[in-house]
């Protein structure tokens, strides 16, 4: 009773607009369809291919390589690159030369 009488502006100001709810519903329907399943298979094929190529590329540096590919089955992949300046430089090169959508996450966001 209290919320109905006194929290009305809060309740209504945090509700999603109807078009957002319809968009979310349509997204779920698309994801659960056969087309959604086909697209997921394609994405995860590329994830596996990326991981294989990264492992092969990192192993070519030999045992002295300081980069580390973190385990992850998701499309978001993480490679540890020691040092903020190295991390920024490699991300810049990957964006410009390799056309990868990469962003450096540096200290203090992550521990040194």
């Amino acid at each position: 009773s209290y919320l109905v009488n006194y929290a009305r502006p809060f309740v209504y100001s945090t509700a999603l607009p109807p078009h957002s709810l319809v968009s979310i519903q349509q997204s779920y329907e698309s994801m659960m369809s056969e087309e959604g399943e086909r697209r997921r298979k394609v994405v995860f094929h590329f994830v596996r291919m990326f991981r294989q190529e990264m492992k092969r590329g990192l192993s070519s540096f030999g045992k002295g390589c300081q980069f580390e590919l973190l385990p992850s089955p998701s499309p978001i992949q993480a490679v540890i690159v020691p040092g903020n300046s190295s991390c920024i430089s490699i991300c810049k090169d990957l964006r410009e030369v390799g056309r990868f959508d990469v962003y450096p996450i540096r200290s203090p966001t992550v521990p040194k």
Side-chain angles (χ1 to χ4, degrees), residues 24-111:
I24 292 168
Q25 180 184 24
Q26 293 301 311
S27 296
Y28 278 122
E29 287 179 17
S30 174
M31 287 172 26
M32 301 310 289
S33 70
E34 288 181 24
E35 177 65 14
E37 182 63 29
R38 185 191 68 74
R39 288 179 179 206
R40 266 190 301 286
K41 286 180 181 178
V42 169
V43 166
F44 286 107
H45 167 75
F46 285 132
V47 169
R48 287 189 300 276
M49 188 169 59
F50 173 84
R51 290 192 61 79
Q52 289 171 353
E53 292 299 317
M54 279 297 294
K55 286 178 184 176
R56 186 170 20 167
L58 292 175
S59 68
S60 70
F61 285 109
K63 296 205 186 283
C65 179
Q66 296 182 356
F67 303 148
E68 178 186 358
L69 177 64
L70 298 181
S72 172
S74 118
I76 299 172
Q77 295 291 307
V79 178
I80 294 179
V81 177
N84 283 347
S85 59
S86 295
C87 185
I88 293 168
S89 174
I90 288 172
C91 284
K92 182 180 174 190
D93 290 345
L94 286 171
R95 265 189 253 126
E96 291 174 0
V97 178
R99 296 180 15 194
F100 286 97
D101 192 18
V102 294
Y103 299 91
I105 301 174
R106 314 176 295 279
S107 175
T109 305
V110 292

